[in-house]
Amino acid sequence: MLGSAQRVAVVTGSSQGIGLAIAQSFVNNGWRVAFVSLGLEQIRSSFLTEVELHQVLLYEMDVTETDKIGPCLDDIIGQWGQVDVLVNNAGIRTVTSNSDMKIEEWNRVLSVNLGSTFFFSQAVAPIMKKRGWGRIINMSSFAGQFGPVNSSAAYAASKAGQLALTKVFARELAPYGITVNAISPASVRTPEMDTIAPADMEKMVATIPLGRVGEAEEVAAMVMYLAADSTGFVTGATLDINGGRLMR
Ligand SMILES: NC(=O)c1ccc[n+]([C@@H]2O[C@H](COP(=O)([O-])OP(=O)(O)OC[C@H]3O[C@@H](n4cnc5c(N)ncnc54)[C@H](O)[C@@H]3O)[C@@H](O)[C@H]2O)c1
C-alpha cells in the first residue's frame, strides 16, 4: 500500500466514450486525473463540477506527437509529484478494406493505437519504477483477439499489438511492483453508436449472447479493479468484456 493519500491517474483519449467514463470514475473515487486527449474543450464546462476541476489536469494533445509526452508527464509530476496509473485508451477505428488500405491510414491507425501505447509506457516506466508501484492498463479490443469485425486490418493489427506490448512491459516491469494488463472490449456504447440505424443495431445485438451492448461505465469498473492494491498479483493478463461474443 502506498503512503500517498490521493493517487494520480493519466488517461489518454478521455474526451468521450470509454476514456471519459474511466477518467470520471477515477475522479468519483477521489483520484487526481490527467486527461490527455484531443477534443477536451467541452470537458471543462459540461462534465466536471467546480470541486472536480481541482482534481484534474487537462492536456489537449495528439498522442502521436511523442515529443510532447515527456513534457506532459513532467508537468503532472511538477504539480502532483507522482503518476500511479496510466491508461492507454486513445484509439481510432477505421473500416477500410484490405484492397483499399493506403499507407497513410495504416501508419495513422498504428501510430495512434499502438505507437502511443508503447511511447507512453516507455515514458511512465521510470517514474513508476522510482516509487516501486504502478499500474499500466491498455485498452485493446476483441478485434485484436478474434480478427476484425467491422474494422480494418490496421485496427485489428494495432489492437493485437497492444496485447503483445502488455506482455512485453508486464515482464519488464514486474520486478518493480508495476503491473501491466489489457482490457479487451467489444460492443460498448459510445457516441458513435447513436448514428447506427435501429435495424442494424438489432442485428448487432443479436450476435451478443447477453443480448445488449455494454456501457462505458462497465469498462471503467474493470479499470478500477485493475488499478486497485488488491489486484497486484494480476499482470500480463487480458480481461475480456464483450457480452459473451468471445469465450476462451
Ligand atoms: N466502444 C467499443 O465497443 C470498443 C470496443 C473495442 C475497443 N475499444 C477501444 O476503446 C478505446 C476507446 O474507444 P471509444 O469507443 O470510447 O472511442 P471514442 O472514439 O468514443 O473515443 C476515443 C477517444 O480517443 C481520443 N483520441 C483519438 N485519437 C486521438 C489522438 N491522436 N490523440 C489523443 N486523443 C485521441 C478521442 O478524442 C476520444 O476522446 C479505443 O482504444 C478503442 O479501440 C472500444
Side-chain angles (χ1 to χ4, degrees), residues 12-19 36-39 61-64 88-92 108 112-113 139-142 155 159 162 185-191 193:
T12 70
S14 30
S15 66
Q16 63 169 46
I18 292 172
V36 182
S37 188
L38 294 174
M61 190 180 130
D62 185 325
V63 291
T64 65
N88 285 309
N89 170 79
I92 49 171
R108 180 72 186 160
V112 174
N113 298 0
M139 201 55 63
S140 178
S141 170
F142 168 81
Y155 181 77
K159 293 289 157 182
Q162 281 183 304
S187 311
V188 175
R189 190 191 309 281
T190 55
M193 242 177 224

Side-chain angles (χ1 to χ4, degrees), residues 44-95:
R44 196 176 289 275
S45 53
S46 40
F47 291 101
L48 297 163
T49 65
E50 269 307 301
V51 177
E52 288 172 342
L53 275 174
H54 296 295
Q55 274 171 258
V56 311
L57 293 171
L58 304 179
Y59 298 92
E60 176 74 27
M61 190 180 130
D62 185 325
V63 291
T64 65
E65 293 176 6
T66 51
D67 56 327
K68 293 189 178 160
I69 298 174
C72 170
L73 292 176
D74 286 347
D75 193 69
I76 296 166
I77 296 294
Q79 306 220 35
W80 290 338
Q82 65 202 59
V83 174
D84 300 296
V85 173
L86 165 68
V87 186
N88 285 309
N89 170 79
I92 49 171
R93 183 176 62 88
T94 63
V95 296

Side-chain angles (χ1 to χ4, degrees), residues 105-140:
E105 180 182 329
W106 176 268
N107 286 344
R108 180 72 186 160
V109 174
L110 268 291
S111 176
V112 174
N113 298 0
L114 186 58
S116 74
T117 298
F118 179 82
F119 288 107
F120 268 88
S121 303
Q122 180 195 59
V124 89
I127 298 168
M128 292 179 174
K129 272 180 172 178
K130 225 183 266 176
R131 282 164 57 76
W133 198 95
R135 300 277 190 264
I136 299 175
I137 301 162
N138 298 324
M139 201 55 63
S140 178

